[in-house]
Amino acid sequence: MLSNHKLQVTLEEIKEISRIDLALYSDKGKLLASTYEEEDMEEAIRFFADSMAESQMLSGCHFFKILIENELEYILLAKATSEEAYMIGRLAVCQIRNMVSAYREQFDRNSFMQNVVLGNMLVVDMYNKAKKLHIEPAQRVVFIIEVSGKKDGIVMETVKNLFVSTTRDFVTEVDEKSVILVKDVRDMPEDEELVELAKMLVDNLHTEAMVKVRVGFGNRVDLLQDITRSYQEARMALEVGSIFYAESDTVSYSKLGIGRLIYQLPTSLCEMFLKEVFGEKVPDGFDEETTVTIQKFFENNLNISETARQLYVHRNTLVYRLERIEKMLGLDIRTFEDAMLFKIALMVISNMNYQKSLIEIKEEE
């Protein structure tokens, strides 16, 4: 149902134009909005509601019934007896009826898309309902906007306002931590445009709603029944991204790379792999100097000279550090094969630590 605030604003705007006072009641006689001081009209409203008339003059007012889908929804009063008041009342009835119908259709569309996202509909029912709601075939991508901390209404409103100009996009929610955007991407043929949209969402929510968010998105889909797959991909993008790409605010399912493969490996295989690489002593972590050295060395594609320059150390100092790491791990990360093996092993360790943290959280609950 439309909020009383929106109804009040509508009546006030009509009065400002027409200078006719208006009041709106529910079908049960409860006052919802009014431009003048409330009077006791309960008996007159009840009498009018029970009558067969669609409009009637009672107690110095024009009374109008507002029917939505042939059901009495509201009763409108125009506080005057003139012909002009009757005309303004009729116009107000049309305005409110159209507002309610549009609101209900939008609510039905969002509810429909929510069920599509969650995979709660049969394919046949899905297409029949889509036709009734005028939802046309299109290429779509699901974006999940995950809020850090507690989500409030301003996040949802901010995202809705960003896409309020089009009826081709859908903004909904399925849990307490995230907002779902089902985006029509027919006008966005390049994948880079999807990345830019995700960044725009992050920036706008940080600026407008003052919240920190992460955005994950799935692959493009052409069929309604595949939207749930894009949603699941977006969900996985966020989960995998939190393990391997924690520094990034936007994560694309198509760019997860080897992280997606490692995430889906059973724990037993992960443990077996780590034993093969490190033996019985799997490293829990490294000191800050070692961590920064390894990170910079990988960022510079195993280039010793460039890494030394960025770390502000002598080349021989860096070589000494790398030799120390080799003694510690049994891997010479100056060679491509050992570097690749070590990089994968670090990702496996991160994944196992993440899975253990989930188990601990469940046990605490």
Side-chain angles (χ1 to χ4, degrees):
M1 182 180 288
L2 277 174
S3 68
N4 291 354
H5 174 70
K6 289 184 178 180
L7 294 170
Q8 181 68 39
V9 170
T10 301
L11 295 193
E12 288 174 356
E13 288 177 345
I14 295 173
K15 180 190 174 179
E16 186 177 349
I17 297 169
S18 67
R19 304 198 180 281
I20 300 293
D21 277 309
L22 301 164
L24 189 69
Y25 293 80
S26 71
D27 60 326
K28 304 299 183 185
K30 179 183 177 182
L31 181 68
L32 303 176
S34 177
T35 63
Y36 59 92
E37 191 173 341
E38 181 182 353
E39 300 176 13
D40 184 11
M41 303 293 289
E42 185 177 346
E43 186 176 342
I45 289 171
R46 192 185 311 116
F47 175 80
F48 175 64
D50 293 337
S51 72
M52 299 294 290
E54 290 190 10
S55 64
Q56 194 171 4
M57 176 78 73
L58 289 169
S59 304
C61 298
H62 284 288
F63 282 59
F64 302 89
K65 289 179 181 176
I66 302 179
L67 305 177
I68 309 295
E69 297 179 357
N70 297 320
E71 293 288 333
L72 179 61
E73 192 80 21
Y74 301 108
I75 292 174
L76 177 74
L77 274 62
K79 192 181 181 185
T81 59
S82 64
E83 188 67 25
E84 181 186 7
Y86 175 76
M87 181 183 68
I88 295 300
R90 291 288 301 275
L91 290 172
V93 167
C94 291
Q95 174 73 4
I96 293 169
R97 183 191 297 122
N98 290 336
M99 285 175 57
V100 173
S101 297
Y103 175 83
R104 285 189 174 181
E105 181 177 338
Q106 186 58 41
F107 179 81
D108 288 344
R109 284 165 62 89
N110 284 338
S111 178
F112 165 77
M113 192 54 70
Q114 187 180 70
N115 284 316
V116 170
V117 164
L118 296 175
N120 291 339
M121 297 185 72
L122 296 174
V123 175
V124 175
D125 295 337
M126 189 183 298
Y127 282 95
N128 287 336
K129 186 72 171 176
K131 188 175 181 180
K132 290 179 181 178
L133 295 173
H134 311 292
I135 297 173
E136 58 187 29
Q139 188 176 76
R140 295 180 171 92
V141 171
V142 176
F143 290 77
I144 299 179
I145 303 145
E146 186 178 71
V147 181
S148 176
K150 187 177 180 181
K151 183 184 72 175
D152 55 26
I154 193 172
V155 176
M156 186 73 167
E157 286 303 313
T158 302
V159 178
K160 281 184 176 180
N161 289 337
L162 290 172
F163 302 95
V164 72
S165 61
T166 175
T167 59
R168 296 177 0 184
D169 302 325
F170 297 86
V171 179
T172 186
E173 50 192 345
V174 296
D175 57 45
E176 295 179 353
K177 288 197 66 178
S178 55
V179 173
I180 311 299
L181 167 65
V182 182
K183 183 78 179 76
D184 185 321
V185 294
R186 283 176 288 182
D187 300 330
M188 304 174 69
E190 303 297 329
D191 287 346
E192 186 59 33
E193 294 177 272
L194 302 181
V195 176
E196 290 303 315
L197 175 60
K199 291 179 179 177
M200 181 272 286
L201 287 167
V202 171
D203 292 342
N204 271 273
L205 285 166
H206 179 69
T207 304
E208 301 293 333
M210 303 296 288
V211 294
K212 181 175 175 57
V213 301
R214 295 173 65 245
V215 177
F217 57 96
N219 288 325
R220 300 167 183 265
V221 295
D222 297 304
L223 301 175
L224 279 173
Q225 64 264 35
D226 291 334
I227 288 176
T228 184
R229 188 183 75 220
S230 186
Y231 166 72
Q232 291 164 355
E233 291 169 349
R235 180 64 66 192
M236 178 176 281
L238 285 173
E239 291 181 6
V240 175
S242 67
I243 304 171
F244 306 118
Y245 315 106
E247 71 286 351
S248 179
D249 291 328
T250 63
V251 192
S252 166
Y253 178 82
S254 63
K255 302 296 183 183
L256 290 177
I258 195 172
R260 183 169 68 236
L261 178 63
I262 292 172
Y263 176 77
Q264 297 179 85
L265 288 176
T267 303
S268 57
L269 282 181
C270 292
E271 292 174 344
M272 188 184 304
F273 172 75
L274 292 177
K275 284 184 179 180
E276 289 175 1
V277 175
F278 299 114
E280 294 298 325
K281 192 175 180 181
V282 177
D284 289 330
F286 305 98
D287 59 66
E288 185 178 353
E289 180 184 275
T290 302
T291 300
V292 172
T293 300
I294 293 170
Q295 182 181 345
K296 284 294 181 184
F297 192 52
F298 285 158
E299 285 178 3
N300 290 290
N301 298 314
L302 314 187
N303 186 310
I304 291 178
S305 298
E306 183 59 25
T307 303
R309 187 186 70 80
Q310 291 190 19
L311 290 173
Y312 303 102
V313 298
H314 192 275
R315 190 177 190 278
N316 291 341
T317 302
L318 177 59
V319 170
Y320 169 74
R321 289 185 187 178
L322 295 174
E323 288 175 347
R324 190 178 63 190
I325 292 170
E326 181 182 0
K327 290 179 182 178
M328 184 192 313
L329 302 174
L331 296 171
D332 184 1
I333 63 173
R334 291 171 293 183
T335 66
F336 174 76
E337 185 175 348
D338 279 7
M340 181 179 67
L341 193 63
F342 180 61
K343 179 69 173 177
I344 294 172
L346 286 180
M347 294 179 75
V348 171
I349 290 171
S350 295
N351 181 49
M352 289 187 65
N353 289 338
Y354 176 78
Q355 300 300 338
K356 286 178 182 177
S357 68
L358 290 182
I359 294 172
E360 290 173 358
I361 290 172
K362 286 182 180 179
E363 288 177 350
E364 289 177 0
E365 292 176 350

